[in-house]
Amino acid sequence: MTQVPGPAEFAAHDHAHHSDVSGGWLRAAVFGAMDGLVTNIALVAGVGGGGGGRSLVILTGMAGLVAGAFSMALGEFASVDTQNDAVRHEVDVERTEIRLHPDAERAELAATYERMGLTRPTAEAVAREVHGDPELAVRVHITQELGVDPDDKPSPWIAAVSSFLCFAVGGIVPLVPFLLGSSSLLLGLVVGGVGLVVAGALTARFTTRPWWLAGLRQLAFGAIAAGATFLVGSLIGVNVAG
């Protein structure tokens, strides 16, 4: 006799096949790390290209790290918090619509299920069952119409802290050789480039992209930024009078 898997088995199966990308941390962490790396690689390249020495590179890099980390964290917090407020507003709107126009909303949901491939009788039956619970109906409508789960909104605090820490970690990488006593611009850029490849490769764990392609893509982005700021630094120089 075939045994039907229980809830524990289903949960174990689900966790074994999916990475945890909820909570708003992944996008903020990736964006923060990449931005920290690219920003400070570009700053190092610009100051070094303008003739700045080790002390000036460190000063500029650390200032950019602190300013960028706070800017990223505050931006992520405001962005995620605003998005959550928008979702809450849409939930209120949908709840009102279901209360005032239950038949029209039920028909709309049934039509959605039909477009997904269900037969009309099945779609109507599912819609009727969903609308038997008004709060369930609100969640289902929001999920189907907006593509978000109103009960699983990302945390603005997690996004902000992830962004801050990852930007700081990414921003310190190209400064490591200078902090250890080196004055070589090339070494700083190479270390930063390695950091970009590693960071890009790590993100491939959450995507279908090959690790080497993800790493090379991030390296290319950093090279473009570094090349542009190096050119600007070379043209202007650090001794230009204000």
Side-chain angles (χ1 to χ4, degrees), residues 120-174:
R120 177 179 289 274
T122 301
E124 291 177 345
V126 173
R128 280 196 303 272
E129 182 169 349
V130 168
H131 274 257
D133 181 346
E135 286 305 308
L136 174 60
V138 170
R139 291 197 301 272
V140 171
H141 275 274
I142 291 296
T143 301
Q144 292 297 327
E145 295 171 19
L146 300 183
V148 296
D149 184 351
D151 295 328
D152 189 27
K153 295 186 290 293
S155 166
W157 287 105
I158 291 177
V161 172
S162 298
S163 180
F164 183 95
L165 293 178
C166 290
F167 186 100
V169 171
I172 203 70
V173 170

Side-chain angles (χ1 to χ4, degrees), residues 37 41 172-177 185-196:
L37 278 161
I41 288 172
I172 203 70
V173 170
L175 296 177
V176 168
L185 174 61
L186 178 60
L187 180 59
L189 295 178
V190 168
V191 170
V194 171
L196 281 171

